[in-house]
Amino acid sequence: MGATILTDLGMEILIPLCAVIGIVFSLFQWFLVSKVTVSNDKAATSHASGDDKNGYAESLIEEEEEGINDHNVVTKCAEIQNAISEGATSFLFTMYQYVGVFMVAFAILIFVFLGSVEGFSTKNQPCTYDSTKSCKPALATAVFSTISFLLGAVTSVVSGFLGMKIATYANARTTLEARKGVDKAFIVAFRSGAVMGFLLAANGLLVLFITILLFKMYYGEDWEGLFEAITGYGLGGSSMALFGRVGGGIYTKAADVGADLVGKVERNIPEDDPRNPAVIADNVGDNVGDIAGMGSDLFGSYAESSCAALVVASISSFGVNHELTAMLYPLLISSVGILVCLITTLFATDFFEVKAVKEIEPALKKQLIISTALMTVGIAVVSWVALPSTFTIFNFGVQKEVKSWQLFLCVAVGLWAGLVIGFVTEYYTSNAYSPVQDVADSCRTGAATNVIFGLALGYKSVIIPIFAIAISIFVSFSFAAMYGIAVAALGMLSTIATGLAIDAYGPISDNAGGIAEMAGMSHRIRERTDALDAAGNTTAAIGKGFAIGSAALVSLALFGAFVSRAAISTVDVLTPKVFIGLLVGAMLPYWFSAMTMKSVGSAALKMVEEVRRQFNTIPGLMEGTAKPDYATCVKISTDASIKEMIPPGCLVMLTPLIVGILFGVETLSGVLAGSLVSGVQIAISASNTGGAWDNAKKYIEAGASEHARTLGPKGSDAHKAAVIGDTVGDPLKDTSGPSLNILIKLMAVESLVFAPFFATHGGLLFKLF
């Protein structure tokens, strides 16, 4: 075995220090963004001097370029930004009221179910994996699991809310900077995304670390119980992410579909035209779905992968021998990831400048490559200083001997698999490559062929990511069993700060374009924001690819921890109990997708009717002499999303409870395996299909190549067919697809948390017959 080079004290200093550095760096980035003043006060913006690289050292309104001198434009931008921010804040507060009720109710359920395992006894019990030792009572697990669930839920909610506030703070600033050039706008949008990325990664790490230290004061030497209680943290994070993703996704796509079908197809007016009544709701939706929901989603992935690794490690030599530094190896990986992402961010904002539109997407791709290369070195260093040269990992009832270099390879293979998934996603969703260009070309013959080509692209795009995930699983399991898979997932998420930065960049750029259109800025400015947005669509798809890939690994690791905790020696698919679970589990992602897609359709139907009503009944609306009723459209999206998010949420949260209680742990293991296998495929396909349709539309609109100009311009038959494809793809890429990865993670972590109860009292139907 042997001691680690890094001492426990060194580890206890390093982890919170890295988290604090991440928070300070994010605040510094926010300060730089805040230097861009959204004001028509020339004095407020013309006093700066010196290097203007950061985009704030010159007046926003002193340049003599197409309408820049118009102070009314700046005022209009500020008004639109305030409207978007107020709409997003109002929706999130309304949603959090409903989610808060669920959070309290589910916390009570956790306490009652886990406390009842030993009849609410306060006496110490024999440990699950070593009956010669005494562990804390099940009641303690119930109390601390409930507390960690609430902590995870609150952290997830805060992560989403902070991300939304940062994005709405930055959108108009990106628009205003676009008047100076695409380079200035890019830096503001990217820095704003970095604020969210570093805040979320650092806060999640810091809260989890402090929670472990506080729980340890009670649990003492009972590390098995301590880290079993910590699993509630991942459950809380993902349960809030589910409602954020589904609710936000329904909100944004109802508004987007309504705005596009009536405005762009029927009335032939530009996207984000201020005459369109749904345009404010559409821009609000970008923030509550793609920012707040996405932030909560990736926080949930991080929390669950950490919890899965900690649970497995607690019953291995790390836990048995009380090696704290090695035990917290997953947190050390995340800590080094923050430092690596910090250095990587500087490459985009300080070391190299984006000077032209064609450099935007390569600059974002470089972020992925640089962070992956640097993180590989970081993982090697952490593995060397924080792990003994040899140790044992729990592997379904036996202890498997592992070497430190093998664990390094487990993390590294997850990290590089994430990069592969990212580049494959980019290839299939970026209009710089042939797959999306082929989809755009298919629009010549109408919407039907566009839909056929888009679906084919989505199905084909699943192949390489699945092989990448499969290779990761095989390598990491061969080296370090389920613990290897858990740390592989952490490897994929180790650069989460950079991933979130380039992911959040997309909706910020999208909003910036909308504000430019609504404020009446020149066509040249809108071209710049469209270029930022087109790159953002691809990066958003890459972010979803990372989330789905990591979800597959996290779910498998959680599944292994559940099987171990529920004392299942083998999962035999030929057993009827397991096979019926497999069938039902494989069906659940389809059921869930059907519910979310129909919810978007129902909400969009109401939105289309309202937008049509306003165009038909408000005199002067099309001429631009009358103002549309934005508030009614915002209310339609809010009411629909709050109402429609509850059934899919209940399906995911109640399925493990019903199956575990009525059919037992073996059937539940089949359900988890089935949902994982089918959910990953559907999620990748849906996200990439939607992303491809969106960028095919933008390819035609931009007209940057000779081929694209033969399909356009805006308003042509090919463009209208592309808009219809984009409209079909919107709920796929922004509601159903991203929500599915939460489904497979959430069911797995919920099953793990309730495993002691299911093992003791589950399978009521089979006991009766």
Side-chain angles (χ1 to χ4, degrees):
M1 299 296 170
T4 59
I5 296 173
L6 182 66
T7 63
D8 287 358
L9 178 61
M11 177 274 303
E12 290 174 351
I13 294 172
L14 180 62
I15 292 175
L17 179 64
C18 290
V20 170
I21 289 172
I23 293 170
V24 170
F25 182 74
S26 69
L27 294 177
F28 178 66
Q29 297 296 304
W30 174 83
F31 170 74
L32 293 177
V33 172
S34 71
K35 300 280 279 185
V36 178
T37 311
V38 182
S39 166
N40 66 345
D41 178 10
K42 192 168 183 176
T45 57
S46 61
H47 68 278
S49 62
D51 183 13
D52 67 353
K53 181 179 176 183
N54 292 316
Y56 56 78
E58 53 189 286
S59 170
L60 290 175
I61 52 178
E62 64 186 9
E63 298 185 22
E64 299 297 331
E65 184 189 313
E66 306 172 70
I68 288 183
N69 232 2
D70 186 358
H71 291 210
N72 292 329
V73 168
V74 186
T75 305
K76 185 70 174 173
C77 285
E79 290 173 357
I80 297 166
Q81 182 191 56
N82 288 336
I84 294 170
S85 181
E86 287 171 10
T89 303
S90 174
F91 167 74
L92 287 182
F93 273 127
T94 304
M95 184 179 77
Y96 291 156
Q97 288 173 11
Y98 286 87
V99 169
V101 173
F102 158 81
M103 189 166 66
V104 173
F106 207 78
I108 294 169
L109 196 68
I110 291 172
F111 174 76
V112 172
F113 275 31
L114 295 185
S116 66
V117 171
E118 300 289 347
F120 297 96
S121 170
T122 56
K123 295 180 180 178
N124 285 359
Q125 303 292 329
C127 296
T128 307
Y129 301 101
D130 186 354
S131 57
T132 62
K133 294 182 180 178
S134 179
C135 288
K136 298 294 183 183
L139 186 61
T141 303
V143 171
F144 285 98
S145 293
T146 304
I147 294 170
S148 60
F149 167 79
L150 293 172
L151 280 172
V154 170
T155 308
S156 180
V157 164
V158 170
S159 297
F161 185 77
L162 285 176
M164 181 277 298
K165 295 302 285 186
I166 292 157
T168 54
Y169 182 83
N171 49 19
R173 287 169 168 79
T174 304
T175 307
L176 293 172
E177 286 295 84
R179 298 179 303 172
K180 299 177 188 175
V182 73
D183 55 336
K184 304 291 195 300
F186 172 81
I187 283 180
V188 170
F190 186 80
R191 279 206 165 117
S192 305
V195 176
M196 177 186 177
F198 282 92
L199 267 184
L200 189 148
N203 283 339
L205 174 64
L206 193 59
V207 172
L208 181 56
F209 179 69
I210 292 172
T211 303
I212 290 171
L213 290 187
L214 292 177
F215 282 18
K216 192 169 174 288
M217 293 170 66
Y218 168 77
Y219 276 98
E221 299 299 301
D222 179 15
W223 286 18
E224 178 190 311
L226 164 63
F227 291 103
E228 187 174 312
I230 288 292
T231 55
Y233 186 74
L235 176 59
S238 262
S239 57
M240 295 303 103
L242 175 70
F243 290 107
R245 264 296 194 191
V246 174
I250 293 169
Y251 185 110
T252 181
K253 291 305 112 182
D256 200 359
V257 170
D260 283 356
L261 284 181
V262 181
K264 291 165 74 172
V265 177
E266 295 180 10
R267 296 285 174 167
N268 202 26
I269 60 176
E271 188 170 0
D272 297 314
D273 192 294
R275 293 171 291 178
N276 195 322
V279 72
I280 292 291
D282 185 11
N283 282 284
V284 169
D286 289 335
N287 294 289
V288 298
D290 293 341
I291 293 285
M294 179 263 297
S296 293
D297 178 7
L298 284 178
F299 165 76
S301 287
Y302 162 74
E304 284 166 334
S305 56
S306 300
C307 291
L310 291 169
V311 162
V312 177
S314 69
I315 52 176
S316 301
S317 64
F318 299 156
V320 173
N321 300 330
H322 295 94
E323 299 167 348
L324 186 60
T325 298
M327 184 72 212
L328 297 187
Y329 175 72
L331 273 62
L332 286 166
I333 291 173
S334 302
S335 302
V336 173
I338 291 174
L339 301 181
V340 164
C341 291
L342 190 154
I343 297 168
T344 305
T345 300
L346 299 178
F347 279 90
T349 59
D350 293 87
F351 299 157
F352 300 104
E353 282 191 75
V354 171
K355 295 178 180 177
V357 166
K358 63 182 180 181
E359 295 176 9
I360 298 172
E361 208 164 300
L364 295 169
K365 282 169 62 178
K366 284 176 188 172
Q367 287 286 295
L368 294 174
I369 297 168
I370 293 167
S371 62
T372 302
L374 291 177
M375 193 62 209
T376 305
V377 178
I379 295 165
V381 172
V382 170
S383 302
W384 177 51
V385 302
L387 293 174
S389 56
T390 59
F391 46 89
T392 63
I393 293 297
F394 187 81
N395 181 27
F396 299 106
V398 298
Q399 293 285 352
K400 175 183 175 70
E401 186 170 297
V402 179
K403 300 185 186 305
S404 57
W405 63 267
Q406 292 176 314
L407 206 56
F408 157 72
L409 288 177
C410 292
V411 185
V413 76
L415 175 68
W416 284 92
L419 186 67
V420 169
I421 292 171
F423 277 119
V424 170
T425 303
E426 186 215 11
Y427 176 73
Y428 280 105
T429 57
S430 171
N431 54 30
Y433 302 105
S434 59
V436 171
Q437 292 173 11
D438 289 344
V439 172
D441 194 65
S442 72
C443 295
R444 294 176 188 274
T445 49
T449 45
N450 181 28
V451 170
I452 292 168
F453 270 69
L455 288 172
L457 178 148
Y459 296 149
K460 191 175 181 181
S461 70
V462 172
I463 299 169
I464 297 176
I466 291 298
F467 275 118
I469 293 169
I471 292 168
S472 300
I473 290 170
F474 179 79
V475 172
S476 52
F477 188 86
S478 299
F479 283 145
M482 281 298 174
Y483 186 70
I485 293 172
V487 294
L490 266 173
M492 200 176 283
L493 291 167
S494 59
T495 54
I496 188 173
T498 293
L500 273 167
I502 63 174
D503 210 343
Y505 156 90
I508 291 169
S509 300
D510 192 358
N511 262 201
I515 292 172
E517 184 74 47
M518 286 185 277
M521 298 174 82
S522 70
H523 179 67
R524 187 173 175 183
I525 306 301
R526 185 63 209 243
E527 282 181 346
R528 290 172 182 169
T529 57
D530 279 351
L532 293 170
D533 184 26
N537 273 337
T538 301
T539 60
I542 290 171
K544 287 163 190 161
F546 268 95
I548 295 164
S550 64
L553 296 176
V554 169
S555 300
L556 185 57
L558 290 167
F559 175 73
F562 162 74
V563 168
S564 299
R565 187 66 188 86
I568 303 173
S569 55
T570 56
V571 179
D572 186 355
V573 295
L574 296 178
T575 307
K577 285 182 182 180
V578 176
F579 193 77
I580 60 171
L582 275 173
L583 287 175
V584 172
M587 172 272 295
L588 286 174
Y590 291 94
W591 188 0
F592 179 84
S593 298
M595 294 171 83
T596 51
M597 294 282 285
K598 188 177 180 183
S599 294
V600 171
S602 301
L605 185 63
K606 295 174 186 174
M607 187 68 73
V608 167
E609 290 171 350
E610 174 58 24
V611 174
R612 280 177 180 159
R613 184 194 69 77
Q614 291 196 33
F615 274 121
N616 292 332
T617 60
I618 299 178
L621 183 56
M622 271 301 291
E623 293 74 24
T625 57
K627 192 175 180 181
D629 178 9
Y630 297 126
T632 300
C633 291
V634 170
K635 188 175 188 305
I636 288 173
S637 266
T638 301
D639 293 346
S641 57
I642 295 297
K643 177 186 173 185
E644 299 286 352
M645 75 178 182
I646 295 171
C650 290
L651 173 69
V652 177
M653 299 300 292
L654 294 179
T655 296
L657 292 176
I658 293 171
V659 173
I661 293 170
L662 296 181
F663 300 96
V665 289
E666 288 181 317
T667 304
L668 181 54
S669 67
V671 169
L672 296 179
S675 65
L676 167 60
V677 170
S678 74
V680 170
Q681 324 271 347
I682 302 169
I684 295 173
S685 172
S687 293
N688 289 349
T689 294
W693 275 326
D694 195 347
N695 271 345
K697 177 198 70 174
K698 283 186 166 55
Y699 177 75
I700 295 172
E701 289 175 347
S705 67
E706 185 62 36
H707 175 243
R709 286 190 285 274
T710 63
L711 300 172
K714 288 183 181 180
S716 65
D717 288 341
H719 178 248
K720 287 182 178 179
V723 170
I724 291 171
D726 177 36
T727 307
V728 175
D730 274 339
L732 283 172
K733 75 179 173 67
D734 290 327
T735 309
S736 296
S739 301
L740 280 171
N741 70 71
I742 305 177
L743 175 143
I744 59 177
K745 293 182 304 182
L746 185 51
M747 293 206 329
V749 73
E750 185 181 345
S751 300
L752 174 59
V753 169
F754 287 104
F757 177 81
F758 295 150
T760 307
H761 301 297
L764 293 179
L765 286 181
F766 291 128
K767 289 176 182 177
L768 291 174
F769 299 104

